[in-house]
Amino acid sequence: MTPIPPPEPRNAAGEIRRVGVEIEFAGLPPRDTAELVRGLFGGEIVTVSAHRLKVHRTRWGDFIIELDTQYAHPDDEVLNTGPKDDTEWERQRHQMRVDFHTRTRELIGDVVTGLVPTEIICPPVPWDELDQLDALFGALQGHGAKGTDASLLYGFGLHLNPEVPSLEVAAVLDHLRAFLLTAEWLREQIDIDITREVLPHANPFPKPYALKVLAPNYAPDVDTLIGDYLEYNPTRNRELDMFPLFACLRQDYPHPLFTHRLVKPRPTFHYRLPNAQLSEPGWGSVVEWNRWVEVEKLAADPQRLAERATAYVIKHTRSPILRWLQKLRGWMGAT
């Protein structure tokens, strides 16, 4: 399958826009997965800790492969905190503490392997090379990796991190509006797994927030855009997580989530909606990228975007009686 070109294929610097891809799955531990990645894309495997590895220097950069739980990995705060003083005894105590912590986390990882997913965090890939990255998905299928629909316990997802075409607030707002208007269609196309519907990781935006953002007179500056988002969405668990982009736009914004260790500032949208459909032949990052491009097409069409936003606001602010009468007319017309 060929990636569909977005309306704006290059970033503000004139370079081909790139897409970060993250995939969760079961059935293949991190070490075997790293070997698989190296076999496909070259590079060198580096062991960061027992359950976290990197494949360095592939054609696109570094892949990270790890068990998707923080408790299987040593805590950087523990590792990076030095001895309380420079005495030999304190240095030994510190080293024993680090060794015990590292071994404990390794044992936790051994226990939960098979219960928590393995995750591959791919380096940013040019959007027009995503079809080459999809060799990874075929290889995972061939080596027994299990996706979302393999079990009711597997709430696994695929995340896309498309580089934004522009960091201008108006452009960011247009894409956010386009997503709000396209989200229902995306959910229908993806057929969100029931497990992922129950889990909070990719929740829809609340309707009051959508109505605020889609109002024709909504023209915020960057701080207002971020503040309104936080008011209605004080969580990373949204189908389109805007925190990485907002943290890139305003790293010093005074809110705890902007310093959360899982919020990494980057000029991308963090699109969390797709399932990990590893049982579906031909499925991969291109399928989900091509769906995402529909958001960008709408964002790039000001007239259609405004018309659809107006229609959405009218539909969802009508009185219950008017909505009931419209439904009644629809039923009568169908008979």
Side-chain angles (χ1 to χ4, degrees), residues 23 25-26 71 75 88 97 164 173 190 266:
I23 174 71
F25 54 89
Y71 302 110
D75 190 327
E88 181 63 25
R97 188 161 52 246
V164 296
L173 178 59
I190 294 168
R266 55 183 183 256

Side-chain angles (χ1 to χ4, degrees), residues 137-284:
F137 296 88
L140 289 171
Q141 292 166 344
H143 285 76
K146 306 297 183 184
T148 314
D149 56 355
S151 169
L152 286 174
L153 301 177
Y154 291 171
F156 303 155
L158 175 133
H159 299 176
L160 294 182
N161 296 279
E163 183 180 10
V164 296
S166 169
L167 290 171
E168 296 295 326
V169 176
V172 173
L173 178 59
D174 284 346
H175 283 78
L176 178 56
R177 281 173 162 160
F179 182 85
L180 291 168
L181 294 167
T182 311
E184 184 176 353
W185 176 83
L186 287 168
R187 285 181 168 269
E188 291 171 356
Q189 294 298 305
I190 294 168
D191 190 17
I192 300 298
D193 186 87
I194 187 170
T195 306
R196 301 192 71 232
E197 289 279 13
V198 172
L199 294 172
H201 306 309
N203 283 342
F205 286 98
K207 190 171 292 181
Y209 178 68
L211 289 169
K212 183 178 190 67
V213 172
L214 293 171
N217 61 345
Y218 187 67
D221 59 18
V222 64
D223 280 2
T224 302
L225 181 64
I226 293 172
D228 290 339
Y229 185 92
L230 284 164
E231 180 182 350
Y232 291 90
N233 310 283
T235 173
R236 298 172 52 248
N237 296 328
R238 289 286 181 261
E239 52 198 357
L240 184 67
D241 172 18
M242 297 292 288
F243 278 108
L245 177 55
F246 286 159
C248 177
L249 293 173
R250 278 280 272 112
Q251 292 191 34
D252 58 346
Y253 193 88
H255 190 278
L257 274 172
F258 280 67
T259 57
H260 192 284
R261 62 181 184 80
L262 293 178
V263 174
K264 298 178 174 60
R266 55 183 183 256
T268 70
F269 300 107
H270 185 38
Y271 173 46
R272 302 163 60 99
L273 194 57
N275 300 324
Q277 294 293 114
L278 287 173
S279 63
E280 184 177 310
W283 177 84

Side-chain angles (χ1 to χ4, degrees), residues 317-329:
T317 54
R318 269 192 297 234
S319 71
I321 293 177
L322 287 176
R323 289 200 296 270
W324 181 82
L325 287 173
Q326 184 180 24
K327 285 184 179 180
L328 180 61
R329 283 195 292 268

